[in-house]
Amino acid sequence: MTFRAKTNPDMPSIVFLYLLINLTFSLQPFSWPLLIVIIGFGFILLIIALLRYNVTIEDTKIQVVTSLFSFQLTDRTYYARNMEKLKFKRVGFQSPAAFIHLNYGITVRLPHYSPPEAYEALEQFAIANNIQVYKTKDYKVVEKMIKHKKAAQ
């Protein structure tokens, strides 16, 4: 199954507009180097806003792909035999996240994936491959809130 991360492209755009307006009104003697830095920073924010994150969960592996439009930036595959534990936490106010702890010291962070069944699929993957699963109290609260939303629909 493939799941996509929910990203908010509005926030980097708002920050860029704020910087540009602030630059316009604060510069009495015009400064080209500062303008170039602000515009460069704006392009970096734009690129960050356009990134897409996909996770594919298969029987014995999890594939994480980062792409910009249709150009694939990273493609990482994590096998179940290399996974030590799977930890579910809450990030932000109402967003779940999964942290995959690997045997060789790296922790893979998977926040804001939709639909919420992505985390259920990750949990089933961990159980099927005998990987330890931890859920924090905060995550359990978010899980209950998601279930109540589903029941209300």
Side-chain angles (χ1 to χ4, degrees):
M1 300 180 89
T2 301
F3 302 100
R4 289 187 66 182
K6 294 182 283 185
T7 56
N8 187 0
D10 298 337
M11 193 60 188
S13 303
I14 291 169
V15 170
F16 176 65
L17 285 174
Y18 172 75
L19 288 173
L20 201 58
I21 290 169
N22 204 4
L23 174 73
T24 306
F25 291 114
S26 67
L27 287 179
Q28 295 306 323
F30 191 73
S31 172
W32 279 104
L34 187 59
L35 180 65
I36 291 171
V37 168
I38 295 293
I39 291 175
F41 185 66
F43 281 122
I44 291 171
L45 287 174
L46 181 66
I47 289 171
I48 290 171
L50 296 174
L51 286 176
R52 293 182 184 167
Y53 304 94
N54 294 325
V55 170
T56 303
I57 302 170
E58 296 178 10
D59 293 336
T60 59
K61 66 180 180 177
I62 295 176
Q63 183 178 15
V64 180
V65 178
T66 304
S67 59
L68 180 65
F69 297 114
S70 62
F71 180 68
Q72 208 169 11
L73 299 176
T74 62
D75 183 2
R76 302 208 174 149
T77 304
Y78 303 101
Y79 293 95
R81 65 179 177 266
N82 296 332
M83 295 181 193
E84 186 177 317
K85 64 183 172 181
L86 183 62
K87 193 173 205 177
F88 293 98
K89 293 183 178 181
R90 181 180 84 173
V91 291
F93 178 69
Q94 201 176 5
S95 300
F99 294 83
I100 302 171
H101 295 271
L102 302 174
N103 292 334
Y104 45 90
I106 298 173
T107 300
V108 181
R109 185 174 185 249
L110 303 174
H112 307 293
Y113 279 88
S114 64
E117 288 81 25
Y119 298 103
E120 293 171 12
L122 274 171
E123 185 178 4
Q124 291 170 359
F125 170 83
I127 291 169
N129 290 296
N130 296 324
I131 300 169
Q132 294 176 354
V133 177
Y134 295 106
K135 291 183 182 181
T136 63
K137 290 180 183 177
D138 288 340
Y139 177 80
K140 290 177 183 177
V141 170
V142 171
E143 199 173 36
K144 285 180 186 177
M145 290 178 6
I146 290 171
K147 286 180 182 177
H148 286 299
K149 280 185 182 179
K150 277 187 190 177
Q153 292 175 354

